[in-house]
Amino acid sequence: MFDNSLQERIRMTDSPFVEVEGLHYARGETAIFRGIDMVIPRGQVTAIMGPSGTGKTTLLKLVGGQLAPDAGRVRIDGEDVHRLSRKSLFGLRRRMGMLFQSGALFSDLNVYENVAFPLRVHTDLPESMIRDLVLLKLQAVGLRGARELSPAELSGGMARRVALARAIALDPELILYDEPFVGQDPISMGVLVQLIRRLNDALGLTAVVVSHDIKETLSIADYVYVIADGQVMAHGTPESLDVDQDARVRQFVHGEPDGPVPFHYPATDFHADLMDAGGRQ
Ligand SMILES: Nc1ncnc2c1ncn2[C@@H]1O[C@H](COP(=O)(O)OP(=O)(O)OP(=O)(O)O)[C@@H](O)[C@H]1O
């Protein structure tokens, strides 16, 4: 069941677009989530933050239906994602844009064709309209002039912007951004931050942003969830998290190196490990 503050949030939000309830998920013996509850309101930007390796990308994949939970539910616009038929899931995905860290571009298609791809797969639009839509999206990410380039000719940051143009090609209702700012120089970073906010304000898009770029993310988020140790550690508006006195929240939101959140992935004693050569890794 949702905790009290989440109940409050549901009341505040007329119609949540995504609801995550009692989500449990393990990879082998490792529990990634031990009961996650979240409400993503329609038309808002919700940020998901937390230490590296805590499961943020995994959570987006559970929301997008690429992974199935061990227990709990994800509902999008009222539909239980993991109980849908393949056909219905495909239909739901058409309404979602996803920008994943590993979301590589198709290497044998140029920039233009990469962005046109979802339009060709999911619609019967005439070529002239496809062209207009592709150029519009490329213009939005500042890469209209790069449309003839192949992915191999792009920098990492440019490739992410093309991937973003592709993710918004179908004007999705929900967009999941996994580290959208990685590899961006300060100018394109600023443009992307504004673009994410503008897509949301102008088109009423519901956005979920996973990012380690705390300042940029907090500047556009309406609401923030901080996850750690398989659970929601804190949630609130950027302003409320900024003044949160919890040591773990402070460490994370203010980027402090020392604090209760460990930097290291769990490991045996370092000294013992160094002494124990024995031909092992
Ligand atoms: N395909 C996989 N097989 C097995 N374990 C995986 C796989 N993908 C991720 N994991 C594990 O699941 C955990 C969560 O990974 P995930 O990528 O969701 O974290 P994250 O919070 O997005 O990390 P980061 O902030 O560093 O991108 C990690 O411990 C990782 O080692």
Side-chain angles (χ1 to χ4, degrees):
M1 282 304 291
F2 292 132
D3 64 28
N4 285 344
S5 51
L6 266 178
Q7 293 285 12
E8 182 64 23
R9 185 155 161 69
I10 293 169
R11 269 196 295 279
M12 276 164 30
T13 313
D14 294 331
S15 58
F17 199 70
V18 182
E19 295 161 274
V20 174
E21 193 178 340
L23 203 71
H24 283 74
Y25 181 75
R27 285 216 188 253
E29 297 293 295
T30 313
I32 311 280
F33 297 125
R34 296 177 285 122
I36 294 257
D37 292 333
M38 260 182 202
V39 176
I40 313 280
R42 195 180 295 268
Q44 293 194 3
V45 177
T46 301
I48 299 177
M49 312 190 90
S52 185
T54 209
K56 301 178 297 296
T57 301
T58 304
L59 185 61
L60 293 187
K61 288 184 176 165
L62 286 160
V63 169
Q66 283 96 337
L67 293 174
D70 298 324
R73 264 200 303 215
V74 176
R75 260 177 291 184
I76 298 186
D77 207 13
E79 298 196 82
D80 188 331
V81 174
H82 300 97
R83 284 173 180 255
L84 293 175
S85 64
R86 276 177 74 90
K87 187 160 173 277
S88 305
L89 183 60
F90 192 69
L92 184 63
R93 287 240 184 90
R94 191 193 179 294
R95 300 165 58 196
M96 297 165 67
M98 301 184 201
L99 182 69
F100 279 116
Q101 283 183 66
S102 56
L105 299 171
F106 303 116
S107 56
D108 50 347
L109 299 181
N110 68 12
V111 164
Y112 180 98
E113 285 302 329
N114 262 282
V115 180
F117 188 82
L119 295 162
R120 296 198 197 288
V121 171
H122 288 284
T123 74
D124 297 319
L125 292 173
E127 200 54 42
S128 61
M129 204 172 278
I130 288 184
R131 183 173 189 278
D132 287 352
L133 290 172
V134 171
L135 296 188
L136 205 69
K137 305 306 181 195
L138 283 175
Q139 174 75 1
V141 299
L143 291 174
R144 186 168 45 83
R147 61 183 182 268
E148 302 294 343
L149 299 182
S150 74
E153 294 172 290
L154 302 175
S155 72
M158 287 165 83
R160 287 200 73 65
R161 283 193 279 158
V162 176
L164 173 57
R166 187 176 64 181
I168 58 175
L170 286 164
D171 287 328
E173 294 166 58
L174 168 69
I175 183 153
L176 309 176
Y177 298 100
D178 195 1
E179 297 290 352
F181 310 122
V182 165
Q184 302 303 321
D185 63 54
I187 297 172
S188 44
M189 174 93 121
V191 172
L192 279 190
V193 168
Q194 291 308 319
L195 179 63
I196 291 175
R197 188 69 243 185
R198 221 175 46 236
L199 283 168
N200 175 258
D201 290 341
L203 306 175
L205 205 85
T206 304
V208 180
V209 184
V210 162
S211 175
H212 289 294
D213 295 292
I214 295 172
K215 187 168 132 280
E216 286 73 18
T217 307
L218 294 186
S219 77
I220 52 168
D222 296 298
Y223 205 80
V224 184
Y225 286 91
V226 183
I227 57 173
D229 296 332
Q231 288 175 318
V232 174
M233 181 168 90
H235 58 103
T237 60
E239 297 75 28
S240 69
L241 287 185
D242 198 41
V243 294
D244 199 304
Q245 291 307 315
D246 182 283
R248 295 173 311 168
V249 177
R250 286 187 61 78
Q251 184 195 357
F252 189 75
V253 173
H254 299 284
E256 293 161 1
D258 292 319
V261 179
F263 168 64
H264 291 281
Y265 192 83
T268 54
D269 179 72
F270 185 39
H271 184 71
D273 219 357
L274 287 177
M275 292 298 134
D276 184 23
R280 282 182 298 182
Q281 277 195 328

